[in-house]
Amino acid sequence: MPIRITGLASGLDTESIISALVSSYNYKTSKYKKAQTKLAWKQEAWKTLNSKIYSLYTSLDGLRFSKNYNLKTTSCSDTTKAKVTATSNAVNGTQKLNVLQVAQAGYLTGGKLAASTKGSTTLAELGYTGGDGKIDLTLGDGTKKSVTVTQGTTVNEFVNSLKEAGVSASYDETNKRIYVSSKDTGVANDFTLTGSNVDGSSALSKLGLCVSSDATQAAYESYTKYYDADGNTILSTVKSGVAAYRAALEKYNAASAQNSNMTAAYGYASAYSAMQDALAGSGLDEGEQEKLKNLLAMTEKERADSLMGTDGNIYKKEKVEADGSVIYSDGANYIKAVTTYTDKAGKTYTKGPDDTYTDEDNNVYKNTGKKDADGNALYADEKGTEITISSDVDYYKVNKKEEPSGFYQYTDDAGVTYTQSDLGVFHGSDGKVYQLSDDGTTMQEYDSAGKKLVDGGKTVTVGNKTELMSTVYEDNGIELGMHTSSDALTVLKEKSSLSDEQIATLTSNISKVNSFEAVSDSVLAEGDTYSRANIIKNI
């Protein structure tokens, strides 16, 4: 902001003096600005006048020609039907125009639906079983909109979808028909309804709106080139086409299988080579190497539930007998493992399911939670007598055979079977429990607690009595030297020169090798160069 010190030092009003000096210059400037404004007004006025004169000139120019004086006028009694214009050459007189037919709105009257059909009826109730049906509404001007229907779509919902798509639609519950029409007349407003997928066509059919079209007819006509009167040509064409397709598919599948095998073969070869090197450097003989390979291919649970013989044969757990002995089998031979529980004095005990031991005098010994000097668990009876229990397992070769069990199965006329599970107790194949009558002719339904159902209980007549067979394992007295697979693996690990890390790597490679060899070719013959059998043989 400027600071003014007007006459402060000299005593003169300098500001007034300066204003008076420049006022004459301001007067001249204002005069010229006013003159400029007046000139602009004159230019605007002449421009407007010039435009009007030019317009008059162009209008009068047409008066030079006679055609502009010789004009004809027309009139029409109903301008909603026709519009008439006439040139200068038109003949004077009255003309009549007969309107035979005016343009109409496109319409489609659906087929009659079931008498029970209402606006709330769903497509499922009309018999539609498809999924998402796609229906295209195409107008004459090329505009296309899609409507989607499902089994839950109602008739009214479908009608409303058509309205939103650009046509007029309604359902007449009296006549049981759907009516569709274009909103305006003319070919540009006509419409077609087509199913854009199989479900859409099915939905239109169930709604009574499935009609033929030129496009559909043209597609059908394109197939006539395959038709012949006696059917031999089309049959031959189809057979040759199918044969060509099958041959191409066979080649494709074979090539795909070969490619898959070769892709996997590299990993197999690497794993197999590493596995062989590890086994060769383990310090074990060939028989022990094979045992180690088989044991590492098993899971921990499989090793715990199986035995390995001195010959390397593996026996898997098959069942546990009522006396606690365990049956193992390799599929053809059977071994029974019998565990004996003794104390330091040599007295034998029977082990119970709750970690208790019972002696020959029925004294029960329970775990005290204490241990002896050697770290063995201490058990005590009611009198407080403490003992330690040790176990020893013996393995015997046994023979498996079937023998009558003394239990039976009955069948009634309806085919329901009744299998005995205890004295007098039968379980029906219908999931119910029964008891057999004293005369052995009827089954009476009981509840799960063994109480007879008096009201509503089922009683049936039975026949066709069949005795059930039971599996027994007969000891032939041959004792075998066996180990659990877990113990066998521990022994081989300790005997080998392999570290834990090397064992882990070997286990991984064995798994890769077994995975490749376990897959059989379903497409390639065994002798094919790229079959798995041939790849394994070569490697």
Side-chain angles (χ1 to χ4, degrees):
M1 180 177 180
I3 301 175
R4 294 172 179 170
I5 310 176
T6 305
L8 182 61
S10 62
L12 299 176
D13 188 355
T14 56
E15 186 173 354
S16 299
I17 295 172
I18 293 171
S19 297
L21 290 174
V22 300
S23 62
S24 61
Y25 296 102
N26 289 336
Y27 171 75
K28 292 180 180 180
T29 301
S30 298
K31 177 181 177 181
Y32 291 134
K33 286 182 178 180
K34 290 178 181 179
Q36 185 180 22
T37 300
K38 288 181 180 180
L39 181 59
W41 289 347
K42 289 180 181 180
Q43 288 175 337
E44 186 66 30
W46 279 109
K47 185 185 296 184
T48 301
L49 180 60
N50 186 50
S51 297
K52 291 180 178 180
I53 293 173
Y54 180 78
S55 177
L56 176 62
Y57 168 76
T58 53
S59 299
L60 295 176
D61 185 61
L63 298 178
R64 295 182 298 160
F65 305 101
S66 60
K67 64 179 182 179
N68 292 323
Y69 297 94
N70 192 20
L71 300 178
K72 298 291 180 73
T73 61
T74 61
S75 63
C76 182
S77 59
D78 189 350
T79 57
T80 61
K81 299 294 188 296
K83 181 179 179 182
V84 182
T85 59
T87 66
S88 59
N89 297 324
V91 180
N92 295 334
T94 302
Q95 307 293 332
K96 290 184 178 181
L97 175 66
N98 293 328
V99 180
L100 300 179
Q101 184 177 353
V102 295
Q104 297 180 352
Y107 66 91
L108 174 62
T109 300
K112 191 170 184 178
L113 303 180
S116 61
T117 305
K118 298 180 180 179
S120 58
T121 300
T122 64
L123 282 178
E125 294 172 316
L126 292 178
Y128 175 67
T129 59
D132 289 347
K134 303 293 183 182
I135 299 173
D136 287 340
L137 172 67
T138 306
L139 299 181
D141 61 1
T143 303
K144 180 185 290 186
K145 293 187 178 180
S146 182
V147 174
T148 301
V149 296
T150 63
Q151 292 186 26
T153 302
T154 65
V155 173
N156 281 342
E157 287 173 347
F158 173 69
V159 168
N160 291 334
S161 296
L162 292 182
K163 291 179 179 178
E164 293 174 359
V167 294
S168 298
S170 63
Y171 173 64
D172 189 338
E173 290 196 4
T174 301
N175 294 313
K176 306 300 179 184
R177 297 176 187 272
I178 295 176
Y179 296 92
V180 187
S181 63
S182 56
K183 292 184 176 181
D184 296 303
T185 61
V187 67
N189 297 299
D190 199 5
F191 67 91
T192 58
L193 285 174
T194 55
S196 58
N197 61 6
V198 175
D199 288 337
S201 299
S202 176
L204 285 176
S205 176
K206 299 302 180 183
L207 291 164
L209 298 173
C210 187
V211 297
S212 62
S213 67
D214 293 340
T216 304
Q217 188 64 27
Y220 291 154
E221 290 175 354
S222 68
Y223 301 146
T224 58
K225 62 183 178 181
Y226 299 107
Y227 173 77
D228 60 295
D230 58 7
N232 291 330
T233 301
I234 186 171
L235 181 61
S236 176
T237 302
V238 170
K239 283 185 176 180
S240 61
V242 171
Y245 168 76
R246 287 178 175 172
L249 181 61
E250 185 176 345
K251 289 182 179 179
Y252 171 79
N253 289 339
S256 296
Q258 290 173 341
N259 181 63
S260 176
N261 286 351
M262 289 304 296
T263 301
Y266 177 78
Y268 168 71
S270 299
Y272 184 83
S273 177
M275 177 188 75
Q276 292 294 86
D277 289 344
L279 291 173
S282 65
L284 303 174
D285 61 36
E286 290 185 2
E288 291 170 334
Q289 291 177 25
E290 188 66 21
K291 290 181 183 179
L292 179 62
K293 184 178 72 171
N294 293 335
L295 290 169
L296 291 177
M298 302 167 64
T299 64
E300 288 187 15
K301 187 177 187 310
E302 288 172 339
R303 288 192 290 266
D305 291 339
S306 64
L307 304 175
M308 174 172 275
T310 55
D311 58 355
N313 197 24
I314 295 176
Y315 297 80
K316 297 180 180 179
K317 181 190 288 187
E318 186 166 289
K319 65 175 294 187
V320 179
E321 298 278 72
D323 61 359
S325 60
V326 182
I327 303 298
Y328 296 87
S329 172
D330 65 354
N333 304 299
Y334 298 89
I335 294 174
K336 177 189 285 187
V338 179
T339 304
T340 304
Y341 301 96
T342 58
D343 60 17
K344 292 182 178 180
K347 189 175 182 179
T348 60
Y349 297 82
T350 302
K351 185 177 182 180
D354 53 352
D355 193 29
T356 60
Y357 292 89
T358 306
D359 63 14
E360 297 172 353
D361 299 324
N362 291 324
N363 295 315
V364 179
Y365 292 80
K366 298 180 179 180
N367 195 327
T368 63
K370 298 184 295 182
K371 295 183 178 181
D372 62 10
D374 297 327
N376 300 314
L378 286 173
Y379 292 82
D381 61 7
E382 293 180 350
K383 298 177 183 179
T385 304
E386 293 183 338
I387 60 171
T388 58
I389 303 292
S390 60
S391 62
D392 186 32
V393 183
D394 296 313
Y395 300 96
Y396 300 90
K397 187 175 182 180
V398 294
N399 299 321
K400 179 181 179 180
K401 67 177 185 177
E402 302 290 328
E403 63 180 24
S405 64
F407 288 75
Y408 296 87
Q409 184 181 79
Y410 291 79
T411 307
D412 63 19
D413 293 338
V416 178
T417 59
Y418 305 86
T419 304
Q420 187 176 6
S421 62
D422 200 351
L423 294 177
V425 178
F426 291 79
H427 291 273
S429 58
D430 58 359
K432 299 178 181 179
V433 179
Y434 297 86
Q435 286 193 12
L436 183 66
S437 62
D438 293 337
D439 59 4
T441 60
T442 60
M443 286 285 178
Q444 173 64 50
E445 184 182 352
Y446 278 66
D447 62 18
S448 58
K451 184 177 180 182
K452 182 178 180 181
L453 296 175
V454 178
D455 297 328
K458 180 180 175 182
T459 302
V460 294
T461 302
V462 294
N464 192 21
K465 175 182 176 183
T466 303
E467 186 172 8
L468 301 173
M469 303 298 288
S470 63
T471 302
V472 296
Y473 298 89
E474 187 177 55
D475 190 351
N476 61 15
I478 300 177
E479 187 173 354
L480 303 172
M482 305 290 293
H483 297 281
T484 64
S485 296
S486 298
D487 291 341
L489 178 60
T490 301
V491 172
L492 289 173
K493 281 183 177 180
E494 293 175 350
K495 187 176 181 179
S496 75
S497 59
L498 299 175
S499 65
D500 291 341
E501 183 178 355
Q502 289 173 319
I503 289 289
T505 302
L506 176 59
T507 302
S508 175
N509 287 326
I510 291 173
S511 177
K512 293 176 183 178
V513 169
N514 289 343
S515 295
F516 183 88
E517 295 181 350
V519 178
S520 59
D521 284 302
S522 59
V523 177
L524 303 177
E526 185 172 326
D528 189 289
T529 304
Y530 303 105
S531 69
R532 292 205 172 214
N534 198 47
I535 290 173
I536 292 170
K537 178 182 176 181
N538 288 331
I539 291 178

